[in-house]
Amino acid sequence: MTQNGREASAPRPAPEETSGLSLTEKASLTSGSTTWNTTAVPGTVRALTLSDGPHGIRRQPESTGDALGIHNSLPATCFPPAVALGSSWDPELARRVGTALAREASALGVDVVLGPGVNIKRSPLCGRNFEYFSEDPHLTGVLGAAVVTGIQSLGVGACVKHFAANNQETDRMRVSADVDEQTLREIYLPAFERIVREARPYTVMCSYNRINGVYASQNRWLLTDVLRGEWGFDGLVMSDWGAVNDRVAALEAGLDLEMPPTGTDGEIVEAVRSGRLPEEVLDRAAGRLLALARRLEDRQRFDGWDADAHHELAREAARASAVLLKNDDVRGEGPVLPLDPAAHRRVAVLGELARTPRYQGGGSSHVVPTRLDNAWDALVSAAGRAGGQVAGRTGEQAREQATTLTFAAGYRLDGAPDAELEREAVAAAAEADVALLFLGLPDAAESEGYDRTTIDLPAVQVALLHRVAEVCPRVVVVLSNGSVVSVAEWQDAASAILEGWLLGQAGGSALADLLFGAHSPSGRLTETIPNRLADVPSHLHFPGADGHVVYGEGRYVGYRHHDTLGTGVAYPFGHGLTYSRFEYSDLDARETGANEWSVEVTVTNTGERFAHEVVQLYVAFEEERPSRPRHELRGFAKVGLEPGAAERVRFTLAGRDIAQWSVSRKDWRIDPGSFTVEVGASSRDIRLRAGLTTPGDGYLAPLTGMSTLGEWLAHPAGSPALRKVLGDSPAVAALDRVDPALLGMALGFPLIKFSTFGIGLTPEVVDRLVATAAELHP
Ligand code: BGC
């Protein structure tokens, strides 16, 4: 089960011919005709239709097609948003969701789906985190590539967004993400890179923000040098909606399509006529639109889709995405979950969110679902299946046996205190063997367009939890939130916590499946849950001021920070429990080629139920100086096993997996030395380790006058050049005699600086040394 890359094999589109088109026609192809359509040129190309979004199709009827009319789209399946789907750690599932999205897109007349969103979760405060997969670029890239592969398997286009460094909503249309190149290359770009190289998305969407002062839409380095030049992207780059500030500058930088239209095509025509914009730049952009249209000729056409089957897929995905954070043994009876109808006869279902689910986030990704499950109804029917009866306000079923369910809302979603609701819920809890308490964030707490200022749950909900815990011995908290909430201050009051994220339209029944144990939880955290907001590495810099946000924490995002410094966390990256147990054994890590390794490990289900384990592979650099992240995720595999069954899980590692970006070389660098592979169940639950070595990449920086004496002596051509040029000169004699402590000091001096020491190392001699070293080691 190898998780590493593979090259996609689809043919590249042929270069497009724009010569038959007028200047005006060509200019018209580089902007939309409506909010959701590109421009048609009769006889040449039809108008293409673009629609959000990442976890469901938001196809607006033509008459109401404006970007802000978010709630009036045609019904489509609302799959779990990326915050949840990511937690499945299951690329195959993500691919199937992608294919289902494509089928619905096609049936709704959509050519390009505006997703997935693959920005990194730099801060839990980002209002749009629910649309993104993880704080980790490897996990994000693998899952994003799977979604793109699924969407494009039916010939529908995907649009990977928001390229790049769009990690906050505050001032998103103007802010400059000030981020050093190593951090960009290692954290913020790799997911895009993997998706472009492996899944070949038809389109990429540039972000609104500036990167180191330059708008993404006008950033030639980003859109042309890196995206096309280095990664080989051969599709079309479109703007985020309204991200273009200067049409001409954007075209020159490599942006092909402005969306939605601003009525400025005349500026393009005028710029070409006046010689300010070379016509071939326009030809190139218009040609890419024609190439996209050509690719889309293969789009499969569907009249509709099987709404039941897609709802079931949404349910399966939701089930795979909820993360069981804790599951304590209560009074020596064993873990409180799954609910046991024999022991848990009276179940109080508490919290408005059990009845009014929060299942997606606000903004452009908002989908009108085809149907909507809520947890209360789903629990009622699950209890019925488990032989129960239902009492209370909405109770309608009545059977002879076991489990009795009651419901109380407990709190208002707007956060206003309501003593009566709280009293009813506490009374219900007092009568129950177990309370299922649904807590979470209201809609207004997180959305596209603004960031959060706190990661805390509403105070009325936390207060309710404490009161419920006083009267009921077993409290299971079920969370609904699109990005991390703090748990440290209240989690001791809960026997179990099931993090349900935003689970899409089938989330309610998926939660019932997990709570009653029809299925075992299998989600894992894709982001660290910190103890406090102040522990988050970006905290001091987020969201910036004065038009700039400085990425001062550099590469130390999420667990890269916490695990390097050993900061206490509430729950670590990769964590998640299930209803079974797994053992790891027989780790075998070996070199298979030049900077290539294989890693194998056996995983055994030692518990009593079928369940999934997510085997995580990290590479660790404990000794490395200057410091780098203590370890980084480089592979994972989700394995489903029957009790007693075992599977051998295989990974491959390549040089890039241990490389760092070298700013001076402008390339990836592998230093010779040792590293460790770690295999485990979270970034803090490493079960097995093995040491490996690398010879490095063989690169030697050329010696110059500004190379230090230490660098000269470490370089294979350094000492020979010194001896050849200087022979028995006083300088060499001085080097041989020098006190080691002094030599230590001298090692850090650039060679040219010795020219002032009167030991014969004149600038001319240094020039000869540099030339000789170059001859000896070209
Ligand atoms: C969002 C994009 C979205 C676009 C079209 C923008 O505001 O940032 O993610 O695809 O609108 O709705």
Side-chain angles (χ1 to χ4, degrees):
M1 200 175 301
T2 297
Q3 298 294 321
N4 302 79
R6 101 197 131 68
E7 290 295 322
S9 56
R12 285 167 180 255
E16 294 302 318
E17 196 46 70
T18 52
S19 56
L21 300 179
S22 71
L23 203 50
T24 310
E25 285 171 332
K26 289 190 286 193
S28 75
L29 292 181
T30 67
S31 78
S33 57
T34 69
T35 308
W36 304 117
N37 287 108
T38 65
T39 305
V41 172
T44 301
V45 66
R46 68 182 174 92
L48 308 175
T49 301
L50 324 170
S51 268
D52 290 303
H55 57 265
I57 306 303
R58 182 169 70 97
R59 173 78 158 113
Q60 292 189 308
E62 295 295 339
S63 54
T64 57
D66 65 277
L68 296 174
I70 279 164
H71 293 264
N72 64 0
S73 53
L74 300 169
T77 310
C78 179
F79 291 98
V83 59
L85 190 60
S87 304
S88 75
W89 292 63
D90 187 341
E92 176 53 23
L93 177 65
R95 187 195 59 73
R96 286 197 284 135
V97 169
T99 306
L101 285 172
R103 192 173 179 116
E104 296 193 19
S106 171
L108 291 166
V110 172
D111 295 294
V112 177
V113 175
L114 303 177
V118 298
N119 297 97
I120 294 296
K121 301 188 192 202
R122 174 174 178 247
S123 164
L125 295 177
C126 174
R128 230 174 156 177
N129 272 358
F130 63 86
E131 282 190 63
Y132 303 140
F133 291 107
S134 175
E135 68 188 22
D136 180 80
H138 176 85
L139 181 56
T140 299
V142 171
L143 293 169
V147 172
V148 170
T149 302
I151 292 174
Q152 297 192 169
S153 66
L154 300 185
V156 171
C159 181
V160 184
K161 65 189 188 183
H162 310 86
F163 191 53
N166 177 188
N167 309 102
Q168 65 187 55
E169 293 300 283
T170 306
D171 206 17
R172 67 172 166 159
M173 299 203 179
R174 301 179 306 183
V175 74
S176 173
D178 293 345
V179 46
D180 66 272
E181 188 176 351
Q182 184 174 27
T183 300
L184 272 175
R185 295 287 191 164
E186 295 186 20
I187 303 293
Y188 296 101
L189 297 185
F192 291 99
E193 179 180 359
R194 176 181 288 273
I195 296 166
V196 165
R197 288 187 193 274
E198 292 182 12
R200 298 186 65 232
Y202 290 6
T203 70
V204 164
M205 182 191 291
C206 81
S207 56
Y208 288 120
N209 53 288
R210 292 177 291 153
I211 297 151
N212 295 320
V214 183
Y215 281 108
S217 59
Q218 292 167 214
N219 200 315
R220 174 193 292 275
W221 173 79
L222 188 71
L223 302 186
T224 297
D225 300 349
V226 173
L227 180 65
R228 296 186 188 277
E230 293 182 27
W231 304 344
F233 177 65
D234 60 4
L236 170 137
V237 180
M238 71 180 78
S239 70
D240 198 345
W241 265 231
V244 173
N245 299 288
D246 178 332
R247 286 283 303 278
V248 175
L251 273 178
E252 285 186 311
L255 183 108
D256 305 309
L257 175 66
E258 177 199 50
M259 289 302 294
T262 51
T264 52
D265 293 349
E267 280 178 21
I268 305 289
V269 173
E270 165 52 28
V272 173
R273 289 208 175 115
S274 68
R276 199 157 58 89
L277 178 70
E279 189 162 356
E280 55 268 27
V281 172
L282 177 59
D283 288 345
R284 199 178 53 200
R288 289 189 187 128
L289 191 282
L290 297 181
L292 174 63
R294 165 101 63 87
R295 271 178 156 171
L296 288 165
E297 282 167 14
D298 295 336
R299 167 161 86 73
Q300 294 181 34
R301 316 257 155 193
F302 297 97
D303 295 335
W305 66 88
D306 182 339
D308 292 339
H310 283 200
H311 187 76
E312 264 316 299
L313 176 60
R315 179 172 176 172
E316 179 191 344
R319 231 164 25 218
S321 302
V323 182
L324 182 60
L325 296 177
K326 79 180 260 187
N327 192 15
D328 282 355
D329 191 323
V330 179
R331 299 176 173 172
E333 301 162 353
V336 65
L337 289 178
L339 295 179
D340 174 358
H344 305 134
R345 289 174 170 250
R346 296 163 305 164
V347 178
V349 179
L350 310 175
E352 184 59 52
L353 285 164
R355 176 171 70 176
T356 310
R358 173 110 195 290
Y359 60 101
Q360 63 175 329
S364 63
S365 68
H366 193 279
V367 176
V368 172
T370 58
R371 71 185 71 162
L372 182 58
D373 297 346
N374 72 61
W376 166 242
D377 288 345
L379 286 163
V380 166
S381 49
R385 281 196 302 276
Q389 76 173 29
V390 180
R393 290 206 227 163
T394 36
E396 60 280 274
Q397 294 189 9
R399 300 209 183 166
E400 290 300 303
Q401 311 169 22
T403 312
T404 303
L405 269 68
T406 55
F407 174 79
Y411 55 81
R412 288 167 49 145
L413 283 175
D414 64 9
D418 189 322
E420 181 54 20
L421 287 183
E422 184 177 300
R423 194 197 56 71
E424 279 172 16
V426 174
E431 297 294 309
D433 300 310
V434 58
L436 302 180
L437 178 53
F438 285 72
L439 304 179
L441 298 177
D443 272 325
E446 42 189 0
S447 164
E448 176 176 343
Y450 53 90
D451 293 318
R452 293 190 293 169
T453 53
T454 165
I455 58 170
D456 296 336
L457 284 174
V460 291
Q461 296 188 20
V462 176
L464 175 65
L465 165 63
H466 286 299
R467 292 205 51 202
V468 165
E470 279 166 19
V471 298
C472 183
R474 301 171 198 85
V475 181
V476 175
V477 169
V478 182
L479 290 171
S480 302
N481 45 291
S483 44
V484 155
V485 292
S486 57
V487 300
E489 278 171 25
W490 53 258
Q491 67 162 328
D492 287 348
S495 313
I497 306 174
L498 183 60
E499 172 54 272
W501 304 120
L502 305 179
L503 288 177
Q505 68 178 47
S509 22
L511 288 170
D513 291 341
L514 298 173
L515 293 166
F516 272 103
H519 294 263
S520 300
S522 68
R524 300 290 186 269
L525 290 180
T526 68
E527 51 192 312
T528 309
I529 303 184
N531 277 326
R532 308 174 308 160
L533 181 57
D535 293 339
V536 172
S538 60
H539 189 58
L540 291 177
H541 309 281
F542 187 94
D546 247 354
H548 290 263
V549 51
V550 177
Y551 284 37
E553 70 288 354
R555 298 179 287 174
Y556 296 88
V557 174
Y559 71 88
R560 285 168 167 77
H561 166 91
H562 299 298
D563 293 356
T564 304
L565 297 187
T567 323
V569 299
Y571 292 100
F573 176 83
H575 170 78
L577 304 174
T578 185
Y579 299 152
S580 199
R581 295 177 303 281
F582 292 88
E583 264 179 30
Y584 291 59
S585 61
D586 301 319
L587 176 63
D588 178 26
R590 62 180 65 191
E591 194 178 325
T592 50
N595 281 327
E596 279 176 16
W597 303 270
S598 71
V599 179
E600 297 186 13
V601 66
T602 299
V603 186
T604 308
N605 183 346
T606 57
E608 284 80 45
R609 283 167 170 264
F610 175 85
H612 288 86
E613 178 70 336
V614 176
V615 182
Q616 299 162 40
L617 171 72
Y618 297 84
V619 293
F621 311 93
E622 281 138 285
E623 306 303 330
E624 188 133 340
R625 290 286 174 274
S627 93
R628 67 190 285 186
R630 149 90 185 72
H631 58 183
E632 301 187 84
L633 184 78
R634 288 295 184 251
F636 60 91
K638 188 165 191 173
V639 187
L641 290 173
E642 295 291 346
E647 185 167 324
R648 192 88 177 136
V649 179
R650 298 186 173 81
F651 302 96
T652 57
L653 286 174
R656 174 69 186 270
D657 293 316
I658 59 164
Q660 301 187 77
W661 183 258
S662 162
V663 173
S664 63
R665 276 168 62 186
K666 296 225 157 292
D667 203 352
W668 294 96
R669 174 187 105 212
I670 306 172
D671 296 331
S674 56
F675 63 97
T676 305
V677 291
E678 303 177 334
V679 177
S682 84
S683 83
R684 296 250 170 129
D685 184 9
I686 301 300
R687 306 286 180 85
L688 297 169
R689 292 186 164 77
L692 288 172
T693 57
T694 168
D697 56 19
Y699 177 82
L700 277 172
L703 290 168
T704 70
M706 281 306 282
S707 303
T708 64
L709 178 60
E711 287 162 358
W712 275 82
L713 296 178
H715 195 286
S719 293
L722 284 164
R723 301 213 176 263
K724 187 164 174 194
V725 172
L726 301 177
D728 298 331
S729 75
V732 171
L735 269 181
D736 285 343
R737 279 197 322 271
V738 80
D739 174 327
L742 272 182
L743 182 64
M745 190 172 92
L747 288 177
F749 279 51
L751 206 62
I752 192 72
K753 301 291 177 193
F754 288 96
S755 59
T756 57
F757 288 5
I759 54 172
L761 264 182
T762 61
E764 295 71 34
V765 172
V766 172
D767 283 348
R768 278 194 5 247
L769 279 165
V770 170
T772 308
E775 274 164 29
L776 291 171
H777 202 286

